[in-house]
Amino acid sequence: MAHLDTLLARAGTEPDPTTGALAPPIHPATTFARREDGSSPDGFVYSRLDNPTRRKLQEALAEAEGGGACVALASGMAAAMTLLQTLGSGDHVLIPQDIYFGVRQLIAAQFERWGLAFSEVDMSRPDNVRAALRPSTRLVWVESPSNPQLNVTDIAAVAQVAHESGAALVVDNTWCTPLITRPLEFGADVVLHSVTKYLGGHSDVLGGALVFAHGSPLFERTDALVREGGAVLDPFGAWLTLRGMRSLGPRLRQQSETAGLLAAWLEQHPAVEAVHYPGLPSHPGHGIALQQMKLFGGMLSFRLREGEGKALDVVRRTRLFANATSLGGTESLMEHRATVEGAGSPTPRNLLRISVGLENVDDLRSDLAQAL
Ligand SMILES: *Cc1c(COP(=O)(O)O)cnc(C)c1O
């Protein structure tokens, strides 16, 4: 297999057989004419079932993650919802304490209603996961580093623990992307992406994806749910995601480098109580991060000594960091997560989360300095 950089740089760009075009076409067609013998060219019948542009993205993403199959969905949350829909009443899902807020909300508000049980555990130690597993646990959900506290989970160890009791492991790899971690290589069964973030990379496409390990029985159930339920990614969304993927390598390398410099600078700032970034030697998960991350990523969070008031003040004062939700774009963002997550948020109130963009590091540092 070619290096990942090469796969990414060429994602979806094999020359079009009729025109030689190197950028892939966007296929908005919803339906496809059958041949005289009734067969469908390349199997395309109707766009909800399969679409040429979406198929290109799915193939590129499956290859980038080292998986056997991929389904592209309308959003990261559509990916989470569809995976949960493969489970049934009485099944149990184990989630980390610090999980993307939307996923906890979805499970608690919607899936408890149809009889899905869930519990939360601190996944920084695999023994905790072992102790929290139940005979009915079908799925263990990992986010590493987690959102927004950047806890690191040992994917290989948790995969082993989950498999010992017959549960499948899904890793939300939105923050890392395959450039940093390929969870299937550490034993995960499914990788989840919000392609809205780093893969799309320009804050202009909403999409999600699930990539399955070779031979995973979860693929067929999920694929059927997507085809029948229709939560698919649209062709333009698939095309934008492919375009974003082609520049993922240089973007995320620069974002990781800048994030590392900002994290180190923030850590010695007198107004800052703590910095959460897996690249810092002071981070409790730094050792595991070294084993399973090729870079430490473009996301970090930090806590203010003077508390919530100061945090809100800093968000208001920054000029380059937009006060906006989401992450993984070319522009730097800063957000007070406890406000956004609302009632029941477990996020510390003095915490700010940063998504590092592609701006010059000195400009970003000066902006933080004046805001602090
Ligand atoms: C944004 C995000 C999601 C949800 O994805 P959407 O595309 O917004 O639906 C899930 N997990 C993580 C880690 C995210 O950052």
Side-chain angles (χ1 to χ4, degrees):
M1 193 194 84
H3 285 94
L4 186 57
D5 275 322
T6 306
L7 291 181
L8 289 170
R10 316 281 293 236
T13 63
E14 54 285 350
D16 184 82
T18 49
T19 63
L22 280 169
I26 305 170
H27 286 279
T30 52
T31 189
F32 303 82
R34 294 191 183 88
R35 298 193 188 95
E36 235 165 80
D37 66 359
S39 67
S40 298
D42 243 345
F44 295 110
V45 174
Y46 183 63
S47 229
R48 168 157 47 72
L49 307 175
D50 200 356
N51 167 280
T53 316
R54 191 166 85 236
R55 191 194 281 183
K56 256 189 199 299
L57 169 64
Q58 290 172 167
E59 287 171 355
L61 201 46
E63 199 176 7
E65 286 284 7
C70 169
V71 293
L73 295 109
S75 68
M77 290 313 298
M81 183 178 72
T82 306
L83 191 62
L84 291 166
Q85 284 172 337
T86 65
L87 305 174
S89 172
D91 289 347
H92 172 253
V93 186
L94 191 58
I95 63 171
Q97 275 170 347
D98 189 44
I99 184 173
Y100 175 69
F101 198 72
V103 174
R104 183 194 288 107
Q105 188 103 323
L106 177 72
I107 296 175
Q110 310 300 336
F111 280 90
E112 277 215 302
R113 215 158 26 88
W114 83 1
L116 196 70
F118 78 101
S119 53
E120 298 176 21
V121 69
D122 169 6
M123 291 200 182
S124 60
R125 295 187 44 227
D127 282 346
N128 296 346
V129 176
R130 184 177 281 112
L133 284 165
R134 303 176 188 176
S136 58
T137 307
R138 294 277 166 277
L139 195 62
V140 176
W141 198 289
V142 163
E143 224 184 88
S144 183
S146 66
N147 182 357
Q149 301 192 59
L150 289 111
N151 297 328
V152 171
T153 296
D154 185 336
I155 297 172
V158 171
Q160 196 183 339
V161 169
H163 291 158
E164 276 165 18
S165 79
L169 181 75
V170 55
V171 175
D172 183 337
N173 204 31
T174 299
W175 282 27
C176 283
T177 83
L179 193 79
I180 293 181
T181 302
R182 303 214 306 167
L184 301 179
E185 289 174 358
F186 293 93
D189 301 279
V190 190
V191 169
L192 183 147
H193 280 287
S194 164
V195 311
T196 313
K197 315 294 171 50
Y198 287 100
L199 292 171
H202 297 76
S203 308
D204 56 9
V205 56
L206 188 73
L210 294 166
V211 183
F212 299 85
H214 287 274
S216 168
L218 278 169
F219 167 63
E220 277 179 24
R221 272 181 98 167
T222 311
D223 192 45
L225 274 165
V226 178
R227 290 163 186 258
E228 291 161 17
V232 295
L233 182 60
D234 66 289
F236 187 46
W239 185 88
L240 280 171
T241 306
L242 274 170
R243 189 171 72 160
M245 280 173 70
R246 296 202 282 276
S247 61
L248 175 68
R251 279 189 285 111
L252 194 46
R253 277 198 195 88
Q254 181 174 328
Q255 285 160 329
S256 294
E257 187 187 329
T258 305
L261 292 168
L262 294 180
W265 180 82
L266 281 167
E267 197 172 40
Q268 53 71 52
H269 195 285
V272 173
E273 179 184 272
V275 179
H276 306 300
Y277 186 67
L280 292 173
S282 60
H283 188 289
H286 182 61
I288 291 158
L290 281 169
Q291 288 166 31
Q292 69 184 30
M293 298 176 79
K294 295 208 173 81
L295 305 161
F296 298 113
M299 297 298 299
L300 65 98
S301 59
F302 63 104
R303 291 156 73 160
L304 282 310
R305 274 190 210 288
E306 285 173 45
E308 179 174 17
K310 175 78 176 180
L312 293 171
D313 211 38
V314 171
V315 174
R316 266 193 300 272
R317 283 170 189 267
T318 52
R319 294 287 165 266
L320 275 179
F321 292 85
N323 177 6
T325 202
S326 200
L327 55 111
T330 63
E331 66 290 314
S332 291
L333 306 176
M334 183 186 285
E335 188 171 55
H336 186 247
R337 285 299 293 173
T339 300
V340 177
E341 293 174 357
S345 161
T347 300
R349 304 218 56 103
N350 64 342
L351 180 142
L352 293 174
R353 188 188 76 182
I354 285 180
S355 168
V356 175
L358 294 177
E359 302 90 342
N360 179 278
V361 62
D362 295 331
D363 292 340
L364 291 174
R365 206 188 283 114
S366 312
D367 191 36
L368 286 176
Q370 65 80 23
L372 285 163

